[in-house]
């Protein structure tokens, strides 16, 4: 048994998992000790400026300092910190890297889109039986990028990371509250172009099941389920008709932000960007349905994702 700490620093949130890994059976099994998420919006303005904003760095460093204390308090033996889309895109990422190293005592890794995709698949596949007998498309819908990963129980067969995400699209197109038809059309054009790029490397038409991970997907699932509060147990593994997921996503896009904020399962840090997340997820499911000739009729949500993959990757 080894106690590890994994930190996933994305465009919108930074998350911590402290877990015990049991490798005695040959297949690693994670047991959660601490699982936390904070919205720090590291990617604030990166799409427009190409740089991490000072205030975004301050928020991220403050959260990391808190996580460092938790890691110490719980006696984690090994730590891995990975950063994704916003950090990949930023010219001043060395400021970020240096600050994290000073706070945490480990070298943060700004990972590639390909590695992000592989870790997301590893995390989702570690707990979902849906892989048995399926070619599963795992979609990791983040703040700055979205990963399309096709695989089976044997592992990843194809993957692609594209630069569409809920923060990026909100900042680029969806300024309205709620967004206008013209803004939505411009965002959809970006998403459709990104899906076309993903199809160059990932044969989406071969998928027989789809799993969505990360906060946009789980929040849309909570909305489709009409939960009284955000409940990971209710959301994880929920397999819903694609028509229901698409309608929930469309409702969130149409809502003004005040109405989104009033939803009992809505994290305050997602209020302004969940409409874009819904737009991305809806377009992916629509195109997936068309590409597979209607073979895929449901979408499954997973609360286990890249964070679990990072923890499992720690030797």
């Amino acid at each position: 048994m080894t106690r590890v700490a994994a930190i996933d620093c994305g465009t919108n949130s930074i998350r911590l998992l402290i877990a015990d890994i049991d490798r005695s059976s040959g297949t690693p099994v994670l047991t959660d000790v601490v699982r936390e998420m904070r919205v720090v919006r590291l990617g604030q303005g990166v799409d427009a400026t190409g740089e991490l904003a000072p205030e975004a760095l301050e928020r991220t460093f403050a959260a990391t300092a808190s996580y460092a204390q938790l890691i110490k308090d719980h006696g984690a033996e090994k730590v891995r910190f990975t950063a994704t889309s916003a950090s990949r895109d930023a010219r001043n990422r060395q400021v970020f890297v240096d600050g994290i190293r000073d706070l945490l005592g480990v070298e943060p890794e700004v990972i590639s889109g390909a590695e992000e995709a592989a870790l997301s698949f590893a995390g989702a596949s570690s707990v979902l039986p849906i892989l048995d007998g399926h070619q599963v498309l795992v979609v990791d819908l983040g703040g700055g990028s979205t990963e399309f990963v096709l695989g089976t129980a044997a592992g990843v067969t194809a993957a692609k990371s594209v630069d569409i995400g809920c923060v990026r699209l909100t900042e680029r197109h969806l300024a309205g509250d709620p967004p206008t038809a013209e803004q939505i059309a411009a965002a959809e054009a970006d998403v459709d172009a990104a899906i076309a790029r993903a199809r160059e490397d990932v044969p989406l038409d071969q998928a027989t099941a789809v799993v969505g991970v990360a906060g946009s997907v789980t929040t849309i699932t909570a909305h489709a389920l009409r939960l009284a509060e955000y409940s990971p147990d209710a959301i994880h593994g929920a397999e819903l008709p694609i028509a229901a997921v698409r309608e929930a996503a469309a409702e969130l896009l149409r809502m003004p932000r005040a109405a989104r904020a009033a939803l009992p399962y809505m994290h305050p840090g997602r209020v302004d960007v969940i409409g874009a997340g819904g737009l991305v997820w809806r377009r992916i499911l629509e195109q997936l349905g068309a590409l597979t000739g209607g073979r895929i009729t449901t979408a499954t949500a997973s609360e286990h994702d890249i964070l679990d993959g990072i923890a499992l990757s720690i030797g």
Side-chain angles (χ1 to χ4, degrees):
M1 193 82 74
T2 306
R3 180 160 291 184
V4 302
I7 298 177
D8 165 42
C9 186
T11 299
N12 197 42
S13 66
I14 182 168
R15 299 181 300 149
L16 167 70
L17 172 60
I18 300 174
D20 291 327
I21 302 183
D22 184 355
R23 302 183 188 274
S24 60
S25 64
T27 301
V29 177
L30 290 176
T31 301
D32 287 14
V33 177
V34 172
R35 191 180 285 261
E36 284 205 8
M37 186 274 287
R38 300 186 186 190
V39 172
V40 294
R41 196 65 59 85
L42 178 63
Q44 171 192 331
V46 169
D47 187 62
T49 68
E51 292 194 348
L52 299 168
E55 59 271 31
L57 285 166
E58 287 180 14
R59 293 191 297 267
T60 306
F61 291 156
T64 302
S66 177
Y67 287 174
Q69 187 61 51
L70 284 170
I71 290 167
K72 180 180 178 181
D73 292 345
H74 288 279
E77 302 164 48
K78 298 180 179 180
V79 181
R80 186 179 185 193
F81 183 111
T82 70
T84 52
S85 177
S87 307
R88 284 196 297 266
D89 295 347
R91 289 188 296 269
N92 62 338
R93 62 179 169 269
Q94 195 60 46
V95 177
F96 166 77
V97 168
D98 292 343
I100 297 297
R101 187 195 308 111
D102 290 345
L103 288 165
L104 207 57
V106 299
E107 189 72 18
E109 304 170 50
V110 180
I111 61 174
S112 67
E115 184 168 6
E116 183 177 1
L119 289 170
S120 295
F121 188 87
S125 64
S126 68
V127 291
L128 282 179
I130 194 173
L131 279 178
D132 297 339
H134 279 286
Q135 278 260 81
V136 177
L137 178 69
V138 172
V139 179
D140 183 349
L141 200 174
S145 66
T146 294
E147 283 65 51
F148 295 78
V149 198
L150 189 67
T152 66
V156 174
T157 55
K160 181 73 170 182
S161 178
V162 294
D163 284 339
I164 53 167
C166 60
V167 174
R168 192 184 297 271
L169 282 184
T170 299
E171 292 185 347
R172 187 181 291 177
H173 296 299
L174 303 180
D177 182 23
T180 65
E182 292 77 12
Q183 291 169 348
I184 291 171
E188 286 178 340
D190 271 9
V191 174
D192 290 349
I195 295 171
R197 290 194 298 275
R199 288 183 60 197
E200 294 172 3
D201 296 295
V202 182
L204 301 182
D205 59 317
Q206 293 181 16
T208 59
V210 59
V211 174
V213 303
S216 285
V217 170
T218 58
T219 302
I220 294 162
T221 303
H223 186 59
L225 292 169
R226 298 300 194 265
L227 297 181
E229 61 182 2
Y230 190 93
S231 170
D233 289 342
I235 294 166
H236 179 66
E239 184 178 358
L240 299 176
I242 282 180
V245 179
R246 287 172 51 197
E247 180 55 30
E251 285 176 358
L252 289 168
L253 177 60
R254 293 193 299 263
M255 279 184 182
R257 291 175 184 175
R260 296 176 192 165
L263 297 171
Y265 35 79
M266 183 66 62
H267 189 286
R270 298 202 189 283
V271 168
D272 61 330
V273 297
I274 190 60
L279 185 150
V280 175
W281 192 218
R282 176 173 58 83
R283 294 299 282 184
I284 289 171
L285 293 178
E286 287 171 350
Q287 294 212 22
L288 194 61
L291 289 168
T292 61
R295 180 173 62 242
I296 296 177
T297 59
T298 63
T300 300
S302 175
E303 285 279 349
H304 297 267
D305 50 30
I306 186 173
L307 188 60
D308 301 73
I310 296 164
L312 289 166
S313 74
I314 299 172

